[in-house]
Short mmCIF file of all heavy atoms in Angstrom, two decimals:
data_model
loop_
_atom_site.label_atom_id
_atom_site.label_comp_id
_atom_site.label_asym_id
_atom_site.label_seq_id
_atom_site.Cartn_x
_atom_site.Cartn_y
_atom_site.Cartn_z
N ALA A 275 105.97 97.18 119.10
CA ALA A 275 105.42 98.39 119.70
C ALA A 275 103.95 98.21 120.10
O ALA A 275 103.50 98.78 121.10
CB ALA A 275 105.55 99.56 118.72
N PHE A 276 103.22 97.40 119.34
CA PHE A 276 101.78 97.24 119.64
C PHE A 276 101.46 95.94 120.37
O PHE A 276 100.30 95.52 120.42
CB PHE A 276 100.95 97.27 118.35
CG PHE A 276 101.18 98.46 117.48
CD1 PHE A 276 101.16 98.34 116.10
CD2 PHE A 276 101.43 99.71 118.03
CE1 PHE A 276 101.38 99.43 115.28
CE2 PHE A 276 101.66 100.82 117.21
CZ PHE A 276 101.63 100.68 115.85
N ASN A 277 102.51 95.24 120.84
CA ASN A 277 102.28 93.98 121.57
C ASN A 277 101.60 92.89 120.76
O ASN A 277 100.77 92.15 121.28
CB ASN A 277 101.42 94.21 122.82
CG ASN A 277 102.23 94.87 123.89
OD1 ASN A 277 103.40 94.52 124.06
ND2 ASN A 277 101.63 95.83 124.56
N VAL A 278 101.94 92.79 119.48
CA VAL A 278 101.47 91.65 118.70
C VAL A 278 102.59 90.62 118.74
O VAL A 278 103.76 90.97 118.54
CB VAL A 278 101.19 92.04 117.23
CG1 VAL A 278 100.68 90.84 116.44
CG2 VAL A 278 100.20 93.19 117.15
N GLN A 279 102.26 89.35 119.02
CA GLN A 279 103.30 88.31 119.08
C GLN A 279 103.96 88.13 117.71
O GLN A 279 103.25 87.94 116.72
CB GLN A 279 102.67 86.97 119.47
CG GLN A 279 102.35 86.84 120.94
CD GLN A 279 103.58 87.01 121.81
OE1 GLN A 279 104.64 86.49 121.48
NE2 GLN A 279 103.45 87.78 122.88
N PRO A 280 105.31 88.16 117.61
CA PRO A 280 105.93 87.99 116.29
C PRO A 280 105.65 86.62 115.67
O PRO A 280 105.66 86.47 114.46
CB PRO A 280 107.42 88.17 116.56
CG PRO A 280 107.59 87.98 118.04
CD PRO A 280 106.30 88.39 118.67
N GLY A 281 105.37 85.62 116.53
CA GLY A 281 105.08 84.29 115.99
C GLY A 281 103.58 84.08 115.75
O GLY A 281 103.11 82.94 115.71
N ALA A 282 102.85 85.17 115.57
CA ALA A 282 101.38 85.07 115.49
C ALA A 282 100.85 84.29 114.30
O ALA A 282 99.68 83.94 114.26
CB ALA A 282 100.76 86.47 115.49
N GLY A 283 101.70 84.03 113.31
CA GLY A 283 101.24 83.24 112.17
C GLY A 283 100.62 84.09 111.07
O GLY A 283 100.85 85.31 111.02
N PRO A 284 99.81 83.45 110.20
CA PRO A 284 99.34 84.11 108.98
C PRO A 284 98.66 85.47 109.17
O PRO A 284 98.60 86.26 108.25
CB PRO A 284 98.35 83.10 108.40
CG PRO A 284 98.81 81.78 108.92
CD PRO A 284 99.40 82.05 110.27
N GLY A 285 98.16 85.74 110.38
CA GLY A 285 97.50 87.03 110.58
C GLY A 285 98.45 88.17 110.88
O GLY A 285 98.02 89.33 110.96
N LEU A 286 99.74 87.87 111.04
CA LEU A 286 100.68 88.87 111.56
C LEU A 286 100.61 90.22 110.83
O LEU A 286 100.36 91.25 111.45
CB LEU A 286 102.12 88.31 111.53
CG LEU A 286 103.21 89.24 112.06
CD1 LEU A 286 103.02 89.55 113.53
CD2 LEU A 286 104.60 88.63 111.85
N SER A 287 100.83 90.22 109.52
CA SER A 287 100.80 91.50 108.79
C SER A 287 99.41 92.12 108.80
O SER A 287 99.26 93.34 108.90
CB SER A 287 101.23 91.32 107.34
OG SER A 287 102.52 90.81 107.27
N PHE A 288 98.39 91.26 108.71
CA PHE A 288 97.03 91.77 108.60
C PHE A 288 96.52 92.34 109.92
O PHE A 288 95.51 93.02 109.95
CB PHE A 288 96.08 90.70 108.07
CG PHE A 288 96.19 90.51 106.58
CD1 PHE A 288 97.07 89.58 106.04
CD2 PHE A 288 95.47 91.31 105.71
CE1 PHE A 288 97.19 89.43 104.67
CE2 PHE A 288 95.58 91.17 104.33
CZ PHE A 288 96.44 90.22 103.81
N VAL A 289 97.19 92.03 111.02
CA VAL A 289 96.82 92.65 112.28
C VAL A 289 97.72 93.85 112.57
O VAL A 289 97.26 94.93 112.94
CB VAL A 289 96.88 91.63 113.45
CG1 VAL A 289 96.64 92.32 114.78
CG2 VAL A 289 95.84 90.54 113.25
N THR A 290 99.03 93.65 112.32
CA THR A 290 99.99 94.70 112.70
C THR A 290 99.87 95.96 111.84
O THR A 290 99.86 97.07 112.35
CB THR A 290 101.43 94.15 112.57
OG1 THR A 290 101.47 92.89 113.20
CG2 THR A 290 102.41 95.07 113.24
N LEU A 291 99.80 95.76 110.53
CA LEU A 291 99.81 96.93 109.65
C LEU A 291 98.61 97.86 109.86
O LEU A 291 98.79 99.07 109.93
CB LEU A 291 99.93 96.50 108.18
CG LEU A 291 101.27 95.82 107.87
CD1 LEU A 291 101.30 95.30 106.43
CD2 LEU A 291 102.43 96.78 108.09
N PRO A 292 97.40 97.32 109.99
CA PRO A 292 96.28 98.24 110.21
C PRO A 292 96.44 99.10 111.47
O PRO A 292 96.08 100.27 111.46
CB PRO A 292 95.07 97.30 110.34
CG PRO A 292 95.46 96.11 109.53
CD PRO A 292 96.93 95.95 109.75
N VAL A 293 97.01 98.52 112.55
CA VAL A 293 97.21 99.34 113.75
C VAL A 293 98.18 100.47 113.40
O VAL A 293 97.99 101.63 113.82
CB VAL A 293 97.77 98.52 114.93
CG1 VAL A 293 97.69 99.33 116.21
CG2 VAL A 293 97.04 97.21 115.10
N LEU A 294 99.19 100.13 112.61
CA LEU A 294 100.16 101.15 112.21
C LEU A 294 99.47 102.28 111.43
O LEU A 294 99.71 103.46 111.67
CB LEU A 294 101.25 100.48 111.35
CG LEU A 294 102.42 101.35 110.92
CD1 LEU A 294 103.22 101.79 112.13
CD2 LEU A 294 103.35 100.58 109.98
N PHE A 295 98.58 101.89 110.52
CA PHE A 295 97.88 102.92 109.73
C PHE A 295 97.04 103.82 110.62
O PHE A 295 96.94 105.02 110.40
CB PHE A 295 96.97 102.27 108.69
CG PHE A 295 97.72 101.55 107.62
CD1 PHE A 295 97.45 100.22 107.32
CD2 PHE A 295 98.73 102.19 106.91
CE1 PHE A 295 98.16 99.55 106.35
CE2 PHE A 295 99.44 101.52 105.94
CZ PHE A 295 99.17 100.19 105.65
N ALA A 296 96.43 103.20 111.64
CA ALA A 296 95.59 104.00 112.52
C ALA A 296 96.42 105.03 113.29
O ALA A 296 95.89 105.98 113.83
CB ALA A 296 94.84 103.09 113.48
N LYS A 297 97.75 104.82 113.32
CA LYS A 297 98.59 105.71 114.12
C LYS A 297 99.34 106.75 113.30
O LYS A 297 100.17 107.46 113.84
CB LYS A 297 99.64 104.88 114.89
CG LYS A 297 99.04 103.83 115.77
CD LYS A 297 99.53 103.99 117.20
CE LYS A 297 98.98 102.91 118.05
NZ LYS A 297 97.99 103.13 118.98
N VAL A 298 99.14 106.80 111.99
CA VAL A 298 99.83 107.83 111.21
C VAL A 298 98.81 108.88 110.78
O VAL A 298 97.63 108.59 110.60
CB VAL A 298 100.55 107.25 109.96
CG1 VAL A 298 101.69 106.36 110.35
CG2 VAL A 298 99.57 106.52 109.06
N PRO A 299 99.30 110.13 110.60
CA PRO A 299 98.38 111.14 110.07
C PRO A 299 97.90 110.71 108.68
O PRO A 299 98.68 110.09 107.94
CB PRO A 299 99.24 112.40 109.99
CG PRO A 299 100.59 112.07 110.52
CD PRO A 299 100.65 110.62 110.85
N LEU A 300 96.71 110.99 108.34
CA LEU A 300 96.11 110.58 107.06
C LEU A 300 96.10 109.06 106.90
O LEU A 300 96.21 108.53 105.80
CB LEU A 300 96.85 111.20 105.87
CG LEU A 300 96.78 112.71 105.72
CD1 LEU A 300 97.63 113.17 104.54
CD2 LEU A 300 95.33 113.15 105.52
N GLY A 301 95.99 108.35 108.03
CA GLY A 301 96.10 106.90 108.01
C GLY A 301 95.18 106.22 107.02
O GLY A 301 95.55 105.23 106.39
N GLN A 302 94.00 106.79 106.84
CA GLN A 302 93.05 106.14 105.96
C GLN A 302 93.56 106.12 104.52
O GLN A 302 93.44 105.14 103.80
CB GLN A 302 91.72 106.89 106.04
CG GLN A 302 90.66 106.23 105.21
CD GLN A 302 89.34 106.98 105.30
OE1 GLN A 302 89.24 108.02 105.96
NE2 GLN A 302 88.33 106.45 104.64
N VAL A 303 94.17 107.24 104.14
CA VAL A 303 94.70 107.34 102.78
C VAL A 303 95.84 106.34 102.60
O VAL A 303 95.90 105.58 101.62
CB VAL A 303 95.24 108.77 102.51
CG1 VAL A 303 95.83 108.87 101.11
CG2 VAL A 303 94.13 109.78 102.73
N TRP A 304 96.74 106.29 103.59
CA TRP A 304 97.85 105.34 103.51
C TRP A 304 97.35 103.91 103.45
O TRP A 304 97.82 103.09 102.68
CB TRP A 304 98.78 105.47 104.72
CG TRP A 304 99.55 106.74 104.77
CD1 TRP A 304 99.43 107.74 105.67
CD2 TRP A 304 100.56 107.15 103.85
NE1 TRP A 304 100.30 108.75 105.39
CE2 TRP A 304 101.01 108.42 104.28
CE3 TRP A 304 101.14 106.59 102.72
CZ2 TRP A 304 102.00 109.13 103.61
CZ3 TRP A 304 102.12 107.29 102.04
CH2 TRP A 304 102.55 108.54 102.50
N ALA A 305 96.38 103.63 104.29
CA ALA A 305 95.87 102.26 104.35
C ALA A 305 95.27 101.88 103.01
O ALA A 305 95.54 100.80 102.47
CB ALA A 305 94.80 102.14 105.45
N PHE A 306 94.48 102.77 102.46
CA PHE A 306 93.85 102.46 101.18
C PHE A 306 94.91 102.22 100.11
O PHE A 306 94.89 101.22 99.39
CB PHE A 306 92.90 103.60 100.77
CG PHE A 306 92.24 103.33 99.47
CD1 PHE A 306 91.24 102.37 99.37
CD2 PHE A 306 92.62 104.02 98.32
CE1 PHE A 306 90.64 102.10 98.15
CE2 PHE A 306 92.02 103.75 97.10
CZ PHE A 306 91.03 102.79 97.01
N CYS A 307 95.88 103.15 100.02
CA CYS A 307 96.94 103.00 98.99
C CYS A 307 97.69 101.69 99.21
O CYS A 307 97.99 100.95 98.27
CB CYS A 307 97.95 104.14 99.06
SG CYS A 307 97.24 105.70 98.62
N PHE A 308 98.00 101.41 100.47
CA PHE A 308 98.79 100.21 100.74
C PHE A 308 98.05 98.95 100.30
O PHE A 308 98.60 98.08 99.63
CB PHE A 308 99.15 100.11 102.23
CG PHE A 308 99.92 98.86 102.53
CD1 PHE A 308 101.28 98.80 102.27
CD2 PHE A 308 99.29 97.74 103.03
CE1 PHE A 308 102.00 97.64 102.51
CE2 PHE A 308 99.99 96.57 103.28
CZ PHE A 308 101.35 96.53 103.01
N PHE A 309 96.79 98.85 100.67
CA PHE A 309 96.07 97.62 100.33
C PHE A 309 95.78 97.52 98.83
O PHE A 309 95.73 96.43 98.28
CB PHE A 309 94.81 97.44 101.19
CG PHE A 309 95.16 97.02 102.59
CD1 PHE A 309 94.92 97.84 103.68
CD2 PHE A 309 95.79 95.80 102.82
CE1 PHE A 309 95.28 97.45 104.97
CE2 PHE A 309 96.15 95.41 104.10
CZ PHE A 309 95.90 96.23 105.17
N VAL A 310 95.65 98.66 98.18
CA VAL A 310 95.52 98.61 96.72
C VAL A 310 96.81 98.03 96.13
O VAL A 310 96.78 97.12 95.28
CB VAL A 310 95.27 100.02 96.13
CG1 VAL A 310 95.40 99.99 94.61
CG2 VAL A 310 93.87 100.49 96.51
N LEU A 311 97.94 98.53 96.61
CA LEU A 311 99.21 98.03 96.07
C LEU A 311 99.44 96.57 96.42
O LEU A 311 99.92 95.80 95.60
CB LEU A 311 100.37 98.89 96.58
CG LEU A 311 100.47 100.24 95.89
CD1 LEU A 311 101.48 101.12 96.59
CD2 LEU A 311 100.86 100.06 94.43
N LEU A 312 99.08 96.20 97.64
CA LEU A 312 99.27 94.80 98.04
C LEU A 312 98.39 93.90 97.17
O LEU A 312 98.82 92.85 96.69
CB LEU A 312 98.91 94.62 99.52
CG LEU A 312 99.19 93.23 100.09
CD1 LEU A 312 100.65 92.86 99.92
CD2 LEU A 312 98.81 93.17 101.57
N PHE A 313 97.18 94.37 96.93
CA PHE A 313 96.28 93.61 96.06
C PHE A 313 96.89 93.49 94.66
O PHE A 313 96.89 92.41 94.05
CB PHE A 313 94.91 94.31 96.01
CG PHE A 313 94.13 94.00 94.78
CD1 PHE A 313 93.60 92.73 94.59
CD2 PHE A 313 93.96 94.96 93.78
CE1 PHE A 313 92.91 92.42 93.43
CE2 PHE A 313 93.27 94.65 92.63
CZ PHE A 313 92.75 93.38 92.45
N LEU A 314 97.42 94.59 94.14
CA LEU A 314 97.98 94.53 92.79
C LEU A 314 99.24 93.66 92.74
O LEU A 314 99.48 92.93 91.77
CB LEU A 314 98.27 95.94 92.27
CG LEU A 314 96.98 96.75 92.01
CD1 LEU A 314 97.30 98.21 91.75
CD2 LEU A 314 96.19 96.16 90.85
N ALA A 315 100.05 93.72 93.81
CA ALA A 315 101.24 92.86 93.87
C ALA A 315 100.81 91.39 93.88
O ALA A 315 101.43 90.53 93.24
CB ALA A 315 102.07 93.18 95.11
N ALA A 316 99.72 91.11 94.60
CA ALA A 316 99.21 89.74 94.63
C ALA A 316 98.69 89.34 93.25
O ALA A 316 98.88 88.21 92.79
CB ALA A 316 98.09 89.62 95.66
N LEU A 317 98.07 90.30 92.57
CA LEU A 317 97.50 90.00 91.25
C LEU A 317 98.60 89.69 90.22
O LEU A 317 98.46 88.77 89.41
CB LEU A 317 96.67 91.19 90.78
CG LEU A 317 95.81 90.96 89.55
CD1 LEU A 317 94.69 89.97 89.87
CD2 LEU A 317 95.19 92.28 89.07
N THR A 318 99.70 90.45 90.27
CA THR A 318 100.76 90.18 89.28
C THR A 318 101.43 88.84 89.58
O THR A 318 102.11 88.29 88.72
CB THR A 318 101.83 91.31 89.27
OG1 THR A 318 102.32 91.49 90.59
CG2 THR A 318 101.27 92.60 88.73
N SER A 319 101.27 88.30 90.80
CA SER A 319 101.76 86.95 91.10
C SER A 319 100.73 85.91 90.67
O SER A 319 101.07 84.89 90.08
CB SER A 319 102.04 86.79 92.59
OG SER A 319 103.02 87.70 93.01
N SER A 320 99.46 86.18 90.98
CA SER A 320 98.46 85.15 90.68
C SER A 320 98.30 84.95 89.18
O SER A 320 98.09 83.83 88.72
CB SER A 320 97.12 85.51 91.32
OG SER A 320 96.62 86.71 90.78
N ILE A 321 98.46 86.02 88.41
CA ILE A 321 98.35 85.82 86.95
C ILE A 321 99.47 84.92 86.46
O ILE A 321 99.28 84.13 85.55
CB ILE A 321 98.33 87.16 86.16
CG1 ILE A 321 99.53 88.01 86.46
CG2 ILE A 321 97.07 87.94 86.43
CD1 ILE A 321 99.51 89.39 85.79
N SER A 322 100.64 85.02 87.09
CA SER A 322 101.75 84.17 86.63
C SER A 322 101.50 82.71 86.99
O SER A 322 102.00 81.81 86.33
CB SER A 322 103.08 84.66 87.21
OG SER A 322 103.21 84.32 88.58
N MET A 323 100.73 82.47 88.05
CA MET A 323 100.39 81.07 88.39
C MET A 323 99.36 80.53 87.42
O MET A 323 99.47 79.40 86.95
CB MET A 323 99.81 80.99 89.79
CG MET A 323 100.83 81.23 90.87
SD MET A 323 99.97 81.22 92.44
CE MET A 323 100.70 82.62 93.20
N LEU A 324 98.36 81.34 87.13
CA LEU A 324 97.32 80.88 86.20
C LEU A 324 97.91 80.65 84.81
O LEU A 324 97.47 79.78 84.06
CB LEU A 324 96.18 81.91 86.15
CG LEU A 324 94.95 81.53 85.33
CD1 LEU A 324 94.36 80.20 85.80
CD2 LEU A 324 93.87 82.61 85.42
N GLU A 325 98.94 81.42 84.49
CA GLU A 325 99.55 81.31 83.16
C GLU A 325 100.19 79.93 82.93
O GLU A 325 100.30 79.49 81.79
CB GLU A 325 100.58 82.45 82.99
CG GLU A 325 101.26 82.54 81.64
CD GLU A 325 100.33 82.95 80.48
OE1 GLU A 325 99.21 83.44 80.73
OE2 GLU A 325 100.72 82.74 79.32
#
Side-chain angles (χ1 to χ4, degrees):
F276 306 144
N277 285 321
V278 181
Q279 283 301 318
L286 181 63
S287 300
F288 282 91
V289 173
T290 313
L291 294 175
V293 191
L294 185 65
F295 293 126
K297 303 235 183 253
V298 293
L300 294 177
Q302 183 180 3
V303 178
W304 291 114
F306 180 72
C307 294
F308 178 80
F309 285 114
V310 169
L311 284 170
L312 186 57
F313 156 70
L314 292 170
L317 190 67
T318 54
S319 299
S320 63
I321 56 185
S322 75
M323 289 176 225
L324 186 55
E325 184 67 16

